[in-house]
PDB file of all heavy atoms in Angstrom:
ATOM      1  N   PHE A1051       1.020  -2.044  -3.623  1.00  0.00           N
ATOM      2  CA  PHE A1051       0.048  -1.893  -4.707  1.00  0.00           C
ATOM      3  C   PHE A1051      -1.350  -1.864  -4.053  1.00  0.00           C
ATOM      4  O   PHE A1051      -1.566  -2.414  -2.977  1.00  0.00           O
ATOM      5  CB  PHE A1051       0.154  -2.947  -5.786  1.00  0.00           C
ATOM      6  CG  PHE A1051      -0.050  -4.379  -5.375  1.00  0.00           C
ATOM      7  CD1 PHE A1051      -1.370  -4.918  -5.318  1.00  0.00           C
ATOM      8  CD2 PHE A1051       0.982  -5.185  -5.071  1.00  0.00           C
ATOM      9  CE1 PHE A1051      -1.579  -6.232  -4.952  1.00  0.00           C
ATOM     10  CE2 PHE A1051       0.755  -6.526  -4.671  1.00  0.00           C
ATOM     11  CZ  PHE A1051      -0.535  -7.045  -4.663  1.00  0.00           C
ATOM     12  N   ASP A1052      -2.302  -1.196  -4.769  1.00  0.00           N
ATOM     13  CA  ASP A1052      -3.669  -1.112  -4.325  1.00  0.00           C
ATOM     14  C   ASP A1052      -4.513  -1.006  -5.611  1.00  0.00           C
ATOM     15  O   ASP A1052      -4.474  -0.019  -6.311  1.00  0.00           O
ATOM     16  CB  ASP A1052      -3.814   0.141  -3.454  1.00  0.00           C
ATOM     17  CG  ASP A1052      -5.212   0.302  -2.857  1.00  0.00           C
ATOM     18  OD1 ASP A1052      -6.137  -0.522  -3.207  1.00  0.00           O
ATOM     19  OD2 ASP A1052      -5.400   1.231  -2.059  1.00  0.00           O
ATOM     20  N   GLN A1053      -5.254  -2.094  -5.873  1.00  0.00           N
ATOM     21  CA  GLN A1053      -6.010  -2.153  -7.127  1.00  0.00           C
ATOM     22  C   GLN A1053      -7.425  -2.639  -6.853  1.00  0.00           C
ATOM     23  O   GLN A1053      -7.635  -3.671  -6.227  1.00  0.00           O
ATOM     24  CB  GLN A1053      -5.308  -3.135  -8.080  1.00  0.00           C
ATOM     25  CG  GLN A1053      -6.029  -3.303  -9.410  1.00  0.00           C
ATOM     26  CD  GLN A1053      -6.083  -2.018 -10.247  1.00  0.00           C
ATOM     27  OE1 GLN A1053      -5.058  -1.417 -10.417  1.00  0.00           O
ATOM     28  NE2 GLN A1053      -7.271  -1.656 -10.647  1.00  0.00           N
ATOM     29  N   LYS A1054      -8.403  -1.811  -7.286  1.00  0.00           N
ATOM     30  CA  LYS A1054      -9.797  -2.277  -7.213  1.00  0.00           C
ATOM     31  C   LYS A1054      -9.951  -3.483  -8.168  1.00  0.00           C
ATOM     32  O   LYS A1054      -9.381  -3.520  -9.224  1.00  0.00           O
ATOM     33  CB  LYS A1054     -10.751  -1.183  -7.642  1.00  0.00           C
ATOM     34  CG  LYS A1054     -10.858  -0.015  -6.616  1.00  0.00           C
ATOM     35  CD  LYS A1054     -11.831   1.008  -7.122  1.00  0.00           C
ATOM     36  CE  LYS A1054     -11.866   2.182  -6.142  1.00  0.00           C
ATOM     37  NZ  LYS A1054     -12.776   3.261  -6.575  1.00  0.00           N
ATOM     38  N   LEU A1055     -10.722  -4.475  -7.673  1.00  0.00           N
ATOM     39  CA  LEU A1055     -10.976  -5.676  -8.515  1.00  0.00           C
ATOM     40  C   LEU A1055     -12.150  -5.416  -9.427  1.00  0.00           C
ATOM     41  O   LEU A1055     -13.285  -5.223  -8.957  1.00  0.00           O
ATOM     42  CB  LEU A1055     -11.265  -6.839  -7.631  1.00  0.00           C
ATOM     43  CG  LEU A1055     -10.134  -7.315  -6.740  1.00  0.00           C
ATOM     44  CD1 LEU A1055     -10.536  -8.425  -5.806  1.00  0.00           C
ATOM     45  CD2 LEU A1055      -8.956  -7.825  -7.650  1.00  0.00           C
ATOM     46  N   PRO A1056     -11.943  -5.331 -10.749  1.00  0.00           N
ATOM     47  CA  PRO A1056     -13.036  -4.960 -11.671  1.00  0.00           C
ATOM     48  C   PRO A1056     -14.135  -5.960 -11.716  1.00  0.00           C
ATOM     49  O   PRO A1056     -15.284  -5.608 -11.970  1.00  0.00           O
ATOM     50  CB  PRO A1056     -12.312  -4.824 -13.000  1.00  0.00           C
ATOM     51  CG  PRO A1056     -11.074  -5.627 -12.865  1.00  0.00           C
ATOM     52  CD  PRO A1056     -10.677  -5.573 -11.431  1.00  0.00           C
ATOM     53  N   ASN A1057     -13.865  -7.214 -11.405  1.00  0.00           N
ATOM     54  CA  ASN A1057     -14.880  -8.275 -11.511  1.00  0.00           C
ATOM     55  C   ASN A1057     -15.518  -8.597 -10.169  1.00  0.00           C
ATOM     56  O   ASN A1057     -16.323  -9.537 -10.061  1.00  0.00           O
ATOM     57  CB  ASN A1057     -14.348  -9.529 -12.189  1.00  0.00           C
ATOM     58  CG  ASN A1057     -13.125 -10.077 -11.405  1.00  0.00           C
ATOM     59  OD1 ASN A1057     -12.440  -9.340 -10.701  1.00  0.00           O
ATOM     60  ND2 ASN A1057     -12.852 -11.363 -11.630  1.00  0.00           N
ATOM     61  N   VAL A1058     -15.088  -7.887  -9.115  1.00  0.00           N
ATOM     62  CA  VAL A1058     -15.634  -8.093  -7.724  1.00  0.00           C
ATOM     63  C   VAL A1058     -15.957  -6.725  -7.152  1.00  0.00           C
ATOM     64  O   VAL A1058     -15.121  -6.121  -6.435  1.00  0.00           O
ATOM     65  CB  VAL A1058     -14.634  -8.893  -6.814  1.00  0.00           C
ATOM     66  CG1 VAL A1058     -15.354  -9.229  -5.567  1.00  0.00           C
ATOM     67  CG2 VAL A1058     -14.146 -10.137  -7.490  1.00  0.00           C
ATOM     68  N   PRO A1059     -17.132  -6.179  -7.520  1.00  0.00           N
ATOM     69  CA  PRO A1059     -17.419  -4.771  -7.024  1.00  0.00           C
ATOM     70  C   PRO A1059     -17.292  -4.654  -5.520  1.00  0.00           C
ATOM     71  O   PRO A1059     -17.723  -5.517  -4.756  1.00  0.00           O
ATOM     72  CB  PRO A1059     -18.922  -4.615  -7.495  1.00  0.00           C
ATOM     73  CG  PRO A1059     -19.065  -5.570  -8.628  1.00  0.00           C
ATOM     74  CD  PRO A1059     -18.178  -6.725  -8.274  1.00  0.00           C
ATOM     75  N   GLY A1060     -16.665  -3.541  -5.100  1.00  0.00           N
ATOM     76  CA  GLY A1060     -16.498  -3.262  -3.682  1.00  0.00           C
ATOM     77  C   GLY A1060     -15.279  -3.858  -3.057  1.00  0.00           C
ATOM     78  O   GLY A1060     -15.023  -3.614  -1.883  1.00  0.00           O
ATOM     79  N   LYS A1061     -14.511  -4.634  -3.804  1.00  0.00           N
ATOM     80  CA  LYS A1061     -13.337  -5.302  -3.245  1.00  0.00           C
ATOM     81  C   LYS A1061     -12.060  -4.755  -3.950  1.00  0.00           C
ATOM     82  O   LYS A1061     -12.102  -4.364  -5.067  1.00  0.00           O
ATOM     83  CB  LYS A1061     -13.362  -6.804  -3.444  1.00  0.00           C
ATOM     84  CG  LYS A1061     -14.455  -7.507  -2.689  1.00  0.00           C
ATOM     85  CD  LYS A1061     -14.142  -7.557  -1.209  1.00  0.00           C
ATOM     86  CE  LYS A1061     -15.164  -8.401  -0.449  1.00  0.00           C
ATOM     87  NZ  LYS A1061     -14.912  -8.415   0.974  1.00  0.00           N
ATOM     88  N   SER A1062     -10.960  -4.782  -3.124  1.00  0.00           N
ATOM     89  CA  SER A1062      -9.669  -4.367  -3.682  1.00  0.00           C
ATOM     90  C   SER A1062      -8.641  -5.400  -3.326  1.00  0.00           C
ATOM     91  O   SER A1062      -8.759  -6.129  -2.353  1.00  0.00           O
ATOM     92  CB  SER A1062      -9.212  -3.011  -3.070  1.00  0.00           C
ATOM     93  OG  SER A1062     -10.022  -1.964  -3.577  1.00  0.00           O
ATOM     94  N   LEU A1063      -7.579  -5.379  -4.070  1.00  0.00           N
ATOM     95  CA  LEU A1063      -6.386  -6.241  -3.855  1.00  0.00           C
ATOM     96  C   LEU A1063      -5.263  -5.231  -3.394  1.00  0.00           C
ATOM     97  O   LEU A1063      -4.924  -4.349  -4.162  1.00  0.00           O
ATOM     98  CB  LEU A1063      -5.995  -6.947  -5.132  1.00  0.00           C
ATOM     99  CG  LEU A1063      -5.016  -8.095  -5.071  1.00  0.00           C
ATOM    100  CD1 LEU A1063      -5.577  -9.254  -4.240  1.00  0.00           C
ATOM    101  CD2 LEU A1063      -4.731  -8.558  -6.488  1.00  0.00           C
ATOM    102  N   ARG A1064      -4.761  -5.457  -2.180  1.00  0.00           N
ATOM    103  CA  ARG A1064      -3.665  -4.597  -1.686  1.00  0.00           C
ATOM    104  C   ARG A1064      -2.451  -5.450  -1.332  1.00  0.00           C
ATOM    105  O   ARG A1064      -2.604  -6.441  -0.613  1.00  0.00           O
ATOM    106  CB  ARG A1064      -4.150  -3.792  -0.507  1.00  0.00           C
ATOM    107  CG  ARG A1064      -5.245  -2.839  -0.820  1.00  0.00           C
ATOM    108  CD  ARG A1064      -5.537  -1.834   0.282  1.00  0.00           C
ATOM    109  NE  ARG A1064      -6.605  -1.002  -0.157  1.00  0.00           N
ATOM    110  CZ  ARG A1064      -7.702  -0.829   0.569  1.00  0.00           C
ATOM    111  NH1 ARG A1064      -7.894  -1.375   1.685  1.00  0.00           N
ATOM    112  NH2 ARG A1064      -8.688  -0.053   0.067  1.00  0.00           N
ATOM    113  N   GLY A1065      -1.324  -5.037  -1.807  1.00  0.00           N
ATOM    114  CA  GLY A1065      -0.048  -5.710  -1.476  1.00  0.00           C
ATOM    115  C   GLY A1065       0.662  -4.927  -0.432  1.00  0.00           C
ATOM    116  O   GLY A1065       0.826  -3.689  -0.541  1.00  0.00           O
ATOM    117  N   VAL A1066       1.092  -5.569   0.618  1.00  0.00           N
ATOM    118  CA  VAL A1066       1.786  -4.948   1.730  1.00  0.00           C
ATOM    119  C   VAL A1066       3.154  -5.637   1.934  1.00  0.00           C
ATOM    120  O   VAL A1066       3.205  -6.865   2.107  1.00  0.00           O
ATOM    121  CB  VAL A1066       0.967  -5.012   3.038  1.00  0.00           C
ATOM    122  CG1 VAL A1066       1.730  -4.428   4.183  1.00  0.00           C
ATOM    123  CG2 VAL A1066      -0.402  -4.269   2.881  1.00  0.00           C
ATOM    124  N   LEU A1067       4.214  -4.862   1.891  1.00  0.00           N
ATOM    125  CA  LEU A1067       5.543  -5.381   2.116  1.00  0.00           C
ATOM    126  C   LEU A1067       5.905  -5.086   3.564  1.00  0.00           C
ATOM    127  O   LEU A1067       5.835  -3.952   4.018  1.00  0.00           O
ATOM    128  CB  LEU A1067       6.554  -4.662   1.186  1.00  0.00           C
ATOM    129  CG  LEU A1067       8.042  -5.145   1.378  1.00  0.00           C
ATOM    130  CD1 LEU A1067       8.177  -6.594   1.014  1.00  0.00           C
ATOM    131  CD2 LEU A1067       8.971  -4.270   0.536  1.00  0.00           C
ATOM    132  N   VAL A1068       6.202  -6.164   4.290  1.00  0.00           N
ATOM    133  CA  VAL A1068       6.604  -6.055   5.731  1.00  0.00           C
ATOM    134  C   VAL A1068       8.081  -6.403   5.809  1.00  0.00           C
ATOM    135  O   VAL A1068       8.461  -7.517   5.453  1.00  0.00           O
ATOM    136  CB  VAL A1068       5.752  -6.950   6.644  1.00  0.00           C
ATOM    137  CG1 VAL A1068       6.191  -6.782   8.101  1.00  0.00           C
ATOM    138  CG2 VAL A1068       4.268  -6.715   6.449  1.00  0.00           C
ATOM    139  N   GLU A1069       8.893  -5.430   6.234  1.00  0.00           N
ATOM    140  CA  GLU A1069      10.332  -5.615   6.295  1.00  0.00           C
ATOM    141  C   GLU A1069      10.776  -5.619   7.780  1.00  0.00           C
ATOM    142  O   GLU A1069      10.531  -4.655   8.454  1.00  0.00           O
ATOM    143  CB  GLU A1069      11.078  -4.503   5.528  1.00  0.00           C
ATOM    144  CG  GLU A1069      10.721  -4.491   4.035  1.00  0.00           C
ATOM    145  CD  GLU A1069      11.312  -3.296   3.358  1.00  0.00           C
ATOM    146  OE1 GLU A1069      10.616  -2.226   3.355  1.00  0.00           O
ATOM    147  OE2 GLU A1069      12.410  -3.420   2.811  1.00  0.00           O
ATOM    148  N   TYR A1070      11.402  -6.703   8.166  1.00  0.00           N
ATOM    149  CA  TYR A1070      11.888  -6.808   9.528  1.00  0.00           C
ATOM    150  C   TYR A1070      13.410  -6.764   9.599  1.00  0.00           C
ATOM    151  O   TYR A1070      14.047  -7.550   8.842  1.00  0.00           O
ATOM    152  CB  TYR A1070      11.456  -8.149  10.194  1.00  0.00           C
ATOM    153  CG  TYR A1070      10.008  -8.309  10.404  1.00  0.00           C
ATOM    154  CD1 TYR A1070       9.262  -9.288   9.748  1.00  0.00           C
ATOM    155  CD2 TYR A1070       9.311  -7.484  11.306  1.00  0.00           C
ATOM    156  CE1 TYR A1070       7.927  -9.452   9.963  1.00  0.00           C
ATOM    157  CE2 TYR A1070       7.969  -7.677  11.550  1.00  0.00           C
ATOM    158  CZ  TYR A1070       7.268  -8.617  10.856  1.00  0.00           C
ATOM    159  OH  TYR A1070       5.942  -8.781  11.102  1.00  0.00           O
ATOM    160  N   GLY A1071      13.962  -5.876  10.378  1.00  0.00           N
ATOM    161  CA  GLY A1071      15.362  -5.947  10.624  1.00  0.00           C
ATOM    162  C   GLY A1071      15.655  -7.063  11.616  1.00  0.00           C
ATOM    163  O   GLY A1071      14.716  -7.709  12.109  1.00  0.00           O
ATOM    164  N   PRO A1072      16.928  -7.354  11.892  1.00  0.00           N
ATOM    165  CA  PRO A1072      17.249  -8.380  12.905  1.00  0.00           C
ATOM    166  C   PRO A1072      16.465  -8.134  14.213  1.00  0.00           C
ATOM    167  O   PRO A1072      16.487  -7.050  14.706  1.00  0.00           O
ATOM    168  CB  PRO A1072      18.725  -8.237  13.037  1.00  0.00           C
ATOM    169  CG  PRO A1072      19.206  -7.679  11.727  1.00  0.00           C
ATOM    170  CD  PRO A1072      18.110  -6.768  11.351  1.00  0.00           C
ATOM    171  N   GLY A1073      15.824  -9.191  14.696  1.00  0.00           N
ATOM    172  CA  GLY A1073      15.056  -9.049  15.917  1.00  0.00           C
ATOM    173  C   GLY A1073      13.778  -8.234  15.806  1.00  0.00           C
ATOM    174  O   GLY A1073      13.132  -8.020  16.833  1.00  0.00           O
ATOM    175  N   GLY A1074      13.419  -7.810  14.661  1.00  0.00           N
ATOM    176  CA  GLY A1074      12.254  -6.949  14.482  1.00  0.00           C
ATOM    177  C   GLY A1074      10.922  -7.676  14.615  1.00  0.00           C
ATOM    178  O   GLY A1074      10.825  -8.930  14.434  1.00  0.00           O
ATOM    179  N   TYR A1075       9.903  -6.933  15.027  1.00  0.00           N
ATOM    180  CA  TYR A1075       8.564  -7.501  15.148  1.00  0.00           C
ATOM    181  C   TYR A1075       7.495  -6.440  15.062  1.00  0.00           C
ATOM    182  O   TYR A1075       7.809  -5.234  15.250  1.00  0.00           O
ATOM    183  CB  TYR A1075       8.395  -8.287  16.476  1.00  0.00           C
ATOM    184  CG  TYR A1075       8.603  -7.419  17.697  1.00  0.00           C
ATOM    185  CD1 TYR A1075       7.514  -6.676  18.254  1.00  0.00           C
ATOM    186  CD2 TYR A1075       9.792  -7.361  18.345  1.00  0.00           C
ATOM    187  CE1 TYR A1075       7.683  -5.896  19.364  1.00  0.00           C
ATOM    188  CE2 TYR A1075      10.016  -6.556  19.468  1.00  0.00           C
ATOM    189  CZ  TYR A1075       8.949  -5.838  19.981  1.00  0.00           C
ATOM    190  OH  TYR A1075       9.123  -5.055  21.087  1.00  0.00           O
ATOM    191  N   ASN A1076       6.273  -6.869  14.820  1.00  0.00           N
ATOM    192  CA  ASN A1076       5.111  -5.984  14.913  1.00  0.00           C
ATOM    193  C   ASN A1076       4.295  -6.444  16.122  1.00  0.00           C
ATOM    194  O   ASN A1076       4.306  -7.621  16.459  1.00  0.00           O
ATOM    195  CB  ASN A1076       4.270  -6.065  13.633  1.00  0.00           C
ATOM    196  CG  ASN A1076       4.807  -5.191  12.564  1.00  0.00           C
ATOM    197  OD1 ASN A1076       5.059  -4.044  12.830  1.00  0.00           O
ATOM    198  ND2 ASN A1076       4.963  -5.717  11.371  1.00  0.00           N
ATOM    199  N   PRO A1077       3.538  -5.537  16.728  1.00  0.00           N
ATOM    200  CA  PRO A1077       2.762  -5.901  17.895  1.00  0.00           C
ATOM    201  C   PRO A1077       1.607  -6.851  17.475  1.00  0.00           C
ATOM    202  O   PRO A1077       1.181  -6.909  16.342  1.00  0.00           O
ATOM    203  CB  PRO A1077       2.226  -4.587  18.454  1.00  0.00           C
ATOM    204  CG  PRO A1077       2.276  -3.665  17.241  1.00  0.00           C
ATOM    205  CD  PRO A1077       3.404  -4.120  16.433  1.00  0.00           C
ATOM    206  N   SER A1078       1.070  -7.541  18.483  1.00  0.00           N
ATOM    207  CA  SER A1078      -0.145  -8.325  18.303  1.00  0.00           C
ATOM    208  C   SER A1078      -1.224  -7.478  17.675  1.00  0.00           C
ATOM    209  O   SER A1078      -1.394  -6.316  18.088  1.00  0.00           O
ATOM    210  CB  SER A1078      -0.530  -8.939  19.613  1.00  0.00           C
ATOM    211  OG  SER A1078      -1.660  -9.740  19.546  1.00  0.00           O
TER     212      SER A1078
END
Side-chain angles (χ1 to χ4, degrees):
F1051 64 85
D1052 185 354
Q1053 179 64 51
K1054 289 181 182 178
L1055 294 173
N1057 59 338
V1058 187
K1061 294 289 186 180
S1062 289
L1063 192 64
R1064 294 192 183 125
V1066 176
L1067 180 65
V1068 182
E1069 300 173 271
Y1070 293 115
Y1075 61 83
N1076 277 311
S1078 181

